[in-house]
Amino acid sequence: MSSLMAEMGAKAMRLGIPLGAQVDLTYRCNERCVHCYLDHDDHGELTTAEVLDLLDQLADAGVFFLTLSGGEIFMRKDFFEILAHARQLLFAVKLKTNAVMIRRRQAQRIAELGVESVQISVYSHLPEVHDEITKVPGSFERTIEGARLLKSFGVKVGFATVLMKRNASDYAQVRALAKSMGIQFNVDPTITPMMDGDRTILDLNIDAAMLERVMHDPSLVDDAGEFCAPPSGPMDSEAALETLPCSAGHTACYISPYGEVYPCVQFPLASGNIRKIRFLDIWKNSPQLAQVRAIRISDLQGCSSCTHGSSCSRCPGLAFLEGNMRGPSTQDCEKSYARTGVASENLRRKNAALDRMPDAKAQLATIHWMARN
């Protein structure tokens, strides 16, 4: 992070300004990715007028960085009207898309509007694997063509690869493909639970051996340096007391296609709806956001004294989905263990509980064996 960005973030934190916001324009999608955590039915999306008014409210509140995502953003016929309005308001706009619907005209318009960057989901260098994950035959070729078109018009493009069992060995080749195209690359080994709390989707997660390999892959240092950050030990009590778990609800937020405001896209704590209350009133007065903002590292059960305390990528949203936003996130504990070989107290406690339940442990082993075979 540049010093200017760090300074902006620190000032936004002091002033209580939502520096960044992600707005999902729709949950509808032209793909049906096996790991997707969204309900793709339309339950009453914000209208064009409502979205434009929301963008005005975000600008008035001080938002500068705006991510437009979905679902698939190009499923909305008014997408370019929305994007044009966002750029008129001088947002630095990032788009997230599968690029399947991007043709020459769309790529040129994105470039003309001065979009900051476009993140494209690519799951494998092998068309058959990518298409198996998206459940759309031919999606790989159309996605790569969309990326090439954007690049041809000078748009900054990045590939994002979510790792799961089916594509666990492909990220290096996706990275090589991105490099050959002059495209940035990042990899995420975390499967997110469904927004309704259903955790069965987590069965897609890569196994412990593969997670350890990813965490120790030196080729990922530049792309995701936090994966390889060495633990620097627990925080002292004073630092833990003052340190915030993350920016969610402090300088960033997420807004659903139905106007619901959340601390983050991975933190589904409903905090108010812009169809009922103006965004700035939600941002300033929401009891749920106040609850999130009150949390310090020292409040997190077992985290402030953990060996990985100052290097863990703990996500409060994932912890919330496990039932306690002030508790540890097991998925992040597993990542810390894969990186360092040192189990957190939370992980040791869970493993001990599993050891006391031989039937459950055997059942879990059977499930893992079946997944591998």
Side-chain angles (χ1 to χ4, degrees), residues 33-44:
C33 296
V34 296
H35 63 290
C36 187
Y37 53 86
L38 298 175
D39 170 4
H40 294 303
D41 292 330
D42 181 359
H43 298 286

Side-chain angles (χ1 to χ4, degrees), residues 10-240:
K11 187 170 184 179
M13 185 74 73
R14 289 194 303 271
L15 299 177
I17 295 173
L19 188 60
Q22 175 171 322
V23 177
D24 277 2
L25 298 177
T26 181
Y27 286 158
R28 290 175 291 133
C29 192
N30 52 349
E31 295 182 334
R32 286 295 181 270
C33 296
V34 296
H35 63 290
C36 187
Y37 53 86
L38 298 175
D39 170 4
H40 294 303
D41 292 330
D42 181 359
H43 298 286
E45 296 170 358
L46 297 175
T47 66
T48 304
E50 286 176 319
V51 174
L52 299 185
D53 181 61
L54 169 61
L55 296 182
D56 290 339
Q57 292 183 49
L58 294 177
D60 290 342
V63 172
F64 178 69
F65 299 103
L66 177 68
T67 298
L68 297 178
S69 184
E72 173 50 50
I73 52 179
F74 286 97
M75 295 293 286
R76 286 200 60 136
K77 295 180 179 180
D78 57 358
F79 170 70
F80 280 111
E81 181 180 357
I82 292 169
L83 178 58
H85 190 68
R87 290 298 294 129
Q88 288 171 2
L89 293 170
L90 302 180
F91 290 118
V93 178
K94 177 179 180 179
L95 306 180
K96 292 186 178 182
T97 176
N98 57 41
V100 166
M101 299 174 72
I102 293 180
R103 299 292 186 269
R104 184 177 182 85
R105 180 177 64 83
Q106 288 85 0
Q108 182 174 3
R109 185 63 176 142
I110 289 170
E112 290 171 349
L113 287 170
V115 166
E116 177 69 21
S117 64
V118 178
Q119 177 180 297
I120 299 174
S121 299
V122 178
Y123 302 111
S124 175
H125 64 299
L126 300 172
E128 62 272 21
V129 175
H130 178 94
D131 293 359
E132 181 182 333
I133 290 172
T134 66
K135 298 185 180 179
V136 177
S139 59
F140 176 81
E141 285 82 0
R142 294 176 67 178
T143 289
I144 298 302
E145 178 59 20
R148 293 189 191 281
L149 285 169
L150 289 167
K151 283 290 296 180
S152 72
F153 284 102
V155 178
K156 182 180 177 182
V157 178
F159 285 167
T161 300
V162 176
L163 293 186
M164 58 198 92
K165 290 184 174 76
R166 185 63 183 91
N167 68 343
S169 301
D170 295 351
Y171 71 87
Q173 292 92 334
V174 177
R175 185 176 188 272
L177 174 62
K179 186 176 181 180
S180 72
M181 296 173 64
I183 287 173
Q184 295 183 338
F185 171 76
N186 71 74
V187 62
D188 185 356
T190 304
I191 300 293
T192 301
M194 298 289 290
M195 290 193 76
D196 63 5
D198 184 350
R199 301 181 64 78
T200 57
I201 195 173
L202 299 185
D203 291 342
L204 296 171
N205 268 317
I206 58 178
D207 62 27
M210 188 63 200
L211 184 59
E212 181 178 358
R213 175 181 161 190
V214 170
M215 292 296 178
H216 287 87
D217 188 339
S219 72
L220 296 178
V221 171
D222 290 339
D223 303 309
E226 68 273 13
F227 286 178
C228 305
S232 53
M235 296 182 176
D236 61 55
S237 57
E238 183 176 349

Side-chain angles (χ1 to χ4, degrees), residues 244-263:
L244 302 173
C246 77
S247 63
H250 293 275
T251 60
C253 66
Y254 163 69
I255 303 166
S256 81
Y258 312 118
E260 202 71 52
V261 178
Y262 300 94

